[in-house]
Each structure stands twice: as C-alpha cells, then as structure tokens.
Amino acid sequence: MPALYDVSIPAFVRGLKNLSIMLEKGKAFAAEQDMELSELLDARLIDDMAPLTRQIQMVTDTAKFVAVRVGQVENDPWPDEEASFPELEARVGKAIAFLQAASPAGFEGREEAAVVLTTPSGAIPFTGSTYVHGFAIPNFYFHLSMAYALLRMKGVPVGKLDFLGPIR
C-alpha cells in the first residue's frame, strides 16, 4: 500500500493550487460582470449548506489536519475568520505552504497510529490509515467539489480541467 504521505499531501497541494486558480477566475469574472464579490463568497447550493467561504475553510483545514494528525506536524491554529477574496486566497496559499513543509518521514509507520477526530457529537476514533483513506481524502474532495460547484453555479467560467489542473 502506498505511504500515507504519498496518497494525501501531493494530491492536496495539487487540489489547493487548482482552487487558487479557480478563485482567481472567480474574482476576474466578478469584475467583468460588475458583480459584488460577496455574491460569490456567500453562494450556497441550498440554504442549509455552507457558503463558498466555509467550503474553502473546510478544504484547507482537512488538508492541514492530515499533516498534523498523521504527519506529526505541529498545529498552527487558523481561526475561520476570512471574509474576503484576498483573505481566502491567502488561506489557500498558507495551506499549500504548510503542506509543502510537511516531511514524508513524519508519516512513516503511522498507518496504525491512533487518530481521534473530535466533533460536536463526540469523538470518532480512526487509525492513521482509516483517517486518511476513509475520512480526509473524501472530505477534502467533497469541499473542493463544492467550492468548484458554487463558482460554476454563479457563472464563473471554470470547467473540469480547472478542477483537475494540469495533467502530468
């Protein structure tokens, strides 16, 4: 089985770089359309779903916490206070840098390490492997997909190749 670092961190960095480009396209589209950026930031697919701002916070948190919980990187708390495009773009950049600083060595032998996710409804125990494969990777792509869908719903000209990024 591939190392936990190899299946997570490079994919997260790639996804976040693609998100950064999609946000740039969103900002440019809003300017071209004379649209308030808040229309994009507050966009929701349905009323009880989180807006674009929260989707970006969640996708960056999900990636960061793999490095913290599994890769043994010291946590750097990030309050979820972003309210503007520049703040969200900075958060995505900060997440990319945080992940790029993570060492593959920190993930070695962590497949069976205890990882506990604390939620408002209680603690959820995982191993390093089940956390990465069963929670973090699907959760990352869920929130990344929602950010893409919200931009697309508002008319931002992004497509599948923007989501996937350069094929190498």
Side-chain angles (χ1 to χ4, degrees), residues 28-43:
F29 175 79
E32 291 166 9
Q33 301 298 313
D34 201 28
M35 174 191 292
E36 293 291 329
L37 287 173
S38 62
E39 189 173 332
L40 294 177
L41 296 173
D42 297 336

Side-chain angles (χ1 to χ4, degrees), residues 122-153:
I124 305 170
F126 294 95
T127 64
S129 186
T130 59
Y131 176 72
V132 168
H133 294 287
F135 177 79
I137 290 172
N139 196 55
F140 176 85
Y141 284 109
F142 173 82
H143 291 291
L144 183 61
S145 296
M146 291 303 104
Y148 165 85
L150 291 168
L151 292 169
R152 180 93 171 143
M153 177 189 74

